[in-house]
Amino acid sequence: MKKIEAIIRVTQFEAVRDALAAIGVQFFTLKEVRGYGLQKGQRLMYRGANHGADFIARLQMDIVAESGMVEGIVKAIESAGKTGKIGDGKIFVFDIETAIRIRTGERNEEAV
Amino acid sequence: MKKIEAIIRVTQFEAVRDALAAIGVQFFTLKEVRGYGLQKGQRLMYRGANHGADFIARLQMDIVAESGMVEGIVKAIESAGKTGKIGDGKIFVFDIETAIRIRTGERNEEAV
Amino acid sequence: MKKIEAIIRVTQFEAVRDALAAIGVQFFTLKEVRGYGLQKGQRLMYRGANHGADFIARLQMDIVAESGMVEGIVKAIESAGKTGKIGDGKIFVFDIETAIRIRTGERNEEAV
Amino acid sequence: MQTNEALDAAMQSQFMTNNLWILIAAALVFIMHLGFATLEAGFVQRKNVLNILFKNSMIIAIGLLTYCLCGFNLMYPGFAEDSSGFFAFAGFGLSHTTEAYSAADGTYTYWSDFIFQAMFAATGATIVSGAVAERIKLVPFLLFATLFVAISYPITGAWKWGGGWLDAMGFYDFAGSTIVHSVGGWAALAGIILLGPRAGKYTDQGIKPIPGHSMPLAAIGVFLLWFGWFGFNGGSVLSADPELVSLVFTTTSLAAAAGAVGAFFTSYFMFRSYDLSMVLNGILGGLVGITAGADIMSPTDSIIIGLIAGILIPLAVTMFDKLKLDDPVGATSVHLVCGIWGTLAVAIFGDCDGCGSFVAQITGILAIGAFTFLFAFIVFYIIKATMGLRVDEEEEARGLDIGEHGMSAYNQF
Amino acid sequence: MQTNEALDAAMQSQFMTNNLWILIAAALVFIMHLGFATLEAGFVQRKNVLNILFKNSMIIAIGLLTYCLCGFNLMYPGFAEDSSGFFAFAGFGLSHTTEAYSAADGTYTYWSDFIFQAMFAATGATIVSGAVAERIKLVPFLLFATLFVAISYPITGAWKWGGGWLDAMGFYDFAGSTIVHSVGGWAALAGIILLGPRAGKYTDQGIKPIPGHSMPLAAIGVFLLWFGWFGFNGGSVLSADPELVSLVFTTTSLAAAAGAVGAFFTSYFMFRSYDLSMVLNGILGGLVGITAGADIMSPTDSIIIGLIAGILIPLAVTMFDKLKLDDPVGATSVHLVCGIWGTLAVAIFGDCDGCGSFVAQITGILAIGAFTFLFAFIVFYIIKATMGLRVDEEEEARGLDIGEHGMSAYNQF
Amino acid sequence: MQTNEALDAAMQSQFMTNNLWILIAAALVFIMHLGFATLEAGFVQRKNVLNILFKNSMIIAIGLLTYCLCGFNLMYPGFAEDSSGFFAFAGFGLSHTTEAYSAADGTYTYWSDFIFQAMFAATGATIVSGAVAERIKLVPFLLFATLFVAISYPITGAWKWGGGWLDAMGFYDFAGSTIVHSVGGWAALAGIILLGPRAGKYTDQGIKPIPGHSMPLAAIGVFLLWFGWFGFNGGSVLSADPELVSLVFTTTSLAAAAGAVGAFFTSYFMFRSYDLSMVLNGILGGLVGITAGADIMSPTDSIIIGLIAGILIPLAVTMFDKLKLDDPVGATSVHLVCGIWGTLAVAIFGDCDGCGSFVAQITGILAIGAFTFLFAFIVFYIIKATMGLRVDEEEEARGLDIGEHGMSAYNQF
Ligand SMILES: Nc1ncnc2c1ncn2[C@@H]1O[C@H](COP(=O)(O)OP(=O)(O)O)[C@@H](O)[C@H]1O
Ligand SMILES: Nc1ncnc2c1ncn2[C@@H]1O[C@H](COP(=O)(O)OP(=O)(O)O)[C@@H](O)[C@H]1O
Ligand SMILES: Nc1ncnc2c1ncn2[C@@H]1O[C@H](COP(=O)(O)OP(=O)(O)O)[C@@H](O)[C@H]1O
């Protein structure tokens, strides 16, 4: 069991979601996050003073999947989430110990 | 040290919180997330067009605890978070390397 | 590769961000979360009834870094995030399996 | 002859001014509906905001149309002189069509009379909508609102303003502390009794407050209501009489101000908190309180009346909560309690001859209250037994915006 | 002699009242600009809110200044009698400076005339701003708005209100269903054709709705527009004539109410949903529909006109969506479709002598529509070819608030 | 005899119209308090919104009650003729009780006079509340506001409007650029000097902007203020004089429009940004600027005055920031700087005989400014020394809504 955290552009969300659906992944959790990274936020002004918005809004997708599916999921996110310009985001893969479906109590492979 | 991520129904939050408190867990971090899964969101309409809200609002609880407590915590969440209908959510357990309390610098067991 | 999750006071964010920048860490993901813990929220009133706001608003910083940098990052957060009063928050360190930069496909060390 | 021309021109000019004021007052009463809509929207939870806006948008539409269809002729049926004046109906639709009005006919035209009165009609239903918010089903509520503004409000209104039996016995209610505000409050009370409290409000560990989602919206609502009240009370003079209208502006504003101060201190002493929702309700309490006697009070009287209304607000809110009568916006405290208080205050402070005696005021309060409460209770009861009144638990938890409308009030957050 | 004094005083008094009403009506029309600003802000996405507020704040400023500079004298150039009255210009700036007006000169002063008319002028551009929202560049839009209110609106306005050729042929448009509202709608149509739809609105899988970010803002907007419409229609009587102004208040309100009901039922039958955005548009549709004949309709007529306008709203919204003409706020449905309907309704329901015949009404609709659409299309086209009209994809995705202004409408969330 | 009857009726009719306008103007000035409340709420951070709404709700209540108690009689004490007219007090409470007013007594009743003036009184304190927002303690602020509107504002007001020494020397301030707006600005300046800037605003790396939490609220505020200004300036004619009131409507609107344009271009040239907050402040600057001479300016004059006021806004905001005088809503730029400018503009553009000379205007600005600044500084200083003026660091960081009220302005997000 692995957990994939993908931090993607807001504008690529629908492409990534569809790419995931195409390989059978329909379950994930989405979070609105602020990204600090190479792509600086827009220059912001308010009442004559600059405030470098050093972050930009991003989406984080958490996907839990069997280890065997990780490679495919990563590929799907990579191709659908990529624009080639700075700021495309990151994918992180974690090991997961147990996954439980609250409704049924099923564990691990059955739970995701 | 383990980290438990529970993705639950918004409506079960208070029950889960109280069930956790009953077994002595009062520390956790809560996030508002969007769940994509078996339970589809409500059919939404706006100006005559459907837009399948394919997600529903959910809460994610992050609980860090000693390994020995994990089983009890999972049980508590399972029983308090369950309605039996599709959409009850998931619990994921992760291994944690180090936990530090910023205020005191205490590590691991002492920190949570 | 490690992932550091730091749950800090809203008011310490800028200090922590600057402390991290000082040791060369400019990439992270920020989340607005609600903390349940020792520091209880303010006593709240509305129309004559108390409602213990049992949580307070907090920020969670997710930083992925090479294992070698973890110690320095934790130190920076600890010193900049500390006020000494209850409620300073926690740092958790996780092991990460793979990190991928979506833009380039670079993996792990090159990706962060 | 030329003299007559001049006098006619002068009287016509007075007629124009009087009539213009009634129309402007009607526009100001109209904006109170926006005040109610934003106040109620601010005081409900985020998930029920669109629903309350929907109801308030439909209520004003229903109110105007039913008042045109039958309400106006139920409320002003032209009771025969010396009749008991309990019920009469002058027929469907509006009767005036062609000839122009002039100074000789009074201070305003038929249309001005209609539109000013019509703007009042929907107020009662709007008051109810706030009290039963966050749990009542949409269509049943709209059905109730239609019957209430089409039938109940005009009938009790006719007893006094239509020249009926309460008017004959000297009941005094200048602009409607009882006839408009309590009436809404009684119907609200019937609704919240039959509906029960919102889920999770009254728990074993005590009262769990459910804070309104937006205080700016609530504050906008209260200021707009105060603004509209210049038309509500000022227009009820039914002419632009300089002395009376300006006195009414003064008493109305001073009572509102005193209501704020009364609620400020009382809620601080009771709860040790500076609670904006109480101060906002206090302003409204002061306004409702002065409404019955705004034209006959001195500044000092109006300050006292407003102050007491403001003091009543936190007490009433606490009382209704003790009784587990759940009213998200405080409509019963504001409109029912302060409406009764204002009507009684006429007997205490007013000194117009042969009117506003304690007996007359109490009779009016009880008769109108009893009729309205029963009407509302029965209608709500029948609806409950047939269509159902309350959304199911799951819908209440998820919110009525998604449940009833499939939409959210706020998007892209 | 004394008699004359009395008559003069009486006439002066009438003049004062008439004039005062025009001024109050001007203030009410002004508040419609806040209504448009909040309505449009509520119906756009969160990321484009500041941009729309910025445009609407500038439009009223531009409208007043250009109307002062040239619009007023283009719209009321004083056509020679019996002239065809197509185009004339009375010179730059305002001409009145010193002598006071009195009863002898009409019902209001030069300044009242100017300010009441000037408040109307910017309305057209405001209607456009909603339809082209979320994708048009700021400065090109402001340029268009300036040319539109300075030149196009006054020229077509002159044809009727300035006493031009349409007036001569009996075209009837009391307060501007065509002259103000359709005109805005035609320009909006030109804009959305040249701009294209917002990214992602029309997809292979069908129409993807892009819900407005705040229904409370939208509702505030619609109630304020209704409130302002008392001045828009009521002030168009151009005096405080009691019979007429009160009739206009009545027909205006009944049509708005019927519009809400029409849109309620139609959108329920079409989509099985209780869609607040449709009911709000329905109210506006009713208001636009009654505007051409608000002074000559009976209550029943005005209810029918409003009801049909309300029914047209969901149909028109669906039609424009089918045509892939993307209008985030429904401006074309409300102002263009219901504006045409209201102008035609004069020929159907109205019975003023020798005016408002089908021929005259259709001629007016077509002539003004053609001129306005062409003017707007050409100006937008030239701007598109030179400065560019549409923000780039990335900016559209990120939102115009950050893209055009470097600011967000909401902070610290 | 009959002739007299006609003349009396005509004069009574004029009296009715004049009086009605003062009352409607009072209602419009009232709505400015909602304008201030929403503007200030929009420009502060999300965590301090409820606090600012609370203050503004209490200020209007306090203003009306203290004006009734003593303010009115301090401001219009009836100075003996040829007295220096510096200070007098006509006693507590309102003096008028029974006899009706009629045309013979002027253009409006005692009550109209009171309520119109009373609505002005709280304005000064409202201006202060915005400038000291996000860091001042609640109860100390309310104490200051009470003393300020009860004592300081009426005393300086009496110098001119009460017929005091500044009036005698020809100082001209039609509707209060100095008497109302600068006065609020001076007190605001005293407050922000003693309070210091918000934490984190002025850092080593320069000025860190703290954006307002809601631009829609701010825009609603500015449009409502403009709307209310029709009553503020228009009502200050103190009659419904057609020529004057309509001129005032025109000059007021043109100055506001020009203020928007002035701020638009200046802020673009200074900062290369289209800053809505600057345009909104520019509109207000134009309104404040025209206020002193709205009845004596031509359209061209008023456009120039408004344009310069709009240009001054970004300059003043930048200047105050350079001086580290932190004003979250720009109250000092709008009300103090443009208030001074507008008062001076009377000497430049105005040409009323023997009034508004440079000497008189500058004397008025300095005398009223000095008195008000000192009064405010001393009161704030004493409060600071005794009760403390500023919330502690932790409360400021967490926000005053939770800190002072235990509530949030927005819930369930
Ligand atoms: N080391 C990191 N730890 C956590 N989040 C990161 C890290 N590096 C990048 N991110 C997230 O990924 C986003 C995109 O990264 P960025 O460096 O801007 O683009 P790119 O991946 O194209 O180089 C950032 O905004 C941030 O949210
Ligand atoms: N594989 C997954 N990865 C991440 N989140 C998931 C995954 N599966 C489910 N979830 C989360 O759990 C929620 C509930 O899951 P769902 O499948 O709807 O119900 P059930 O658990 O009853 O089958 C989803 O909305 C989603 O947020
Ligand atoms: N066991 C835990 N699991 C998850 N989050 C925790 C845990 N303990 C604390 N936190 C988070 O850290 C925050 C600060 O912790 P708290 O106990 O209040 O202060 P301190 O660290 O100073 O003792 C909490 O609000 C909560 O968000």
Side-chain angles (χ1 to χ4, degrees), chain F residues 237-258:
Chain F
V237 170
L238 300 179
S239 79
D241 182 288
E243 186 70 16
L244 265 186
V245 179
S246 61
L247 175 63
V248 166
F249 267 58
T250 302
T251 55
T252 300
S253 293
L254 290 176

Side-chain angles (χ1 to χ4, degrees), chain C residues 43 45-51, chain D residues 209 211-212 271 275 277 281 330:
Chain C
R43 186 191 74 124
M45 287 293 289
Y46 183 74
R47 301 180 79 69
N50 261 298
H51 55 137
Chain D
F271 318 124
D275 185 330
S277 77
N281 274 178

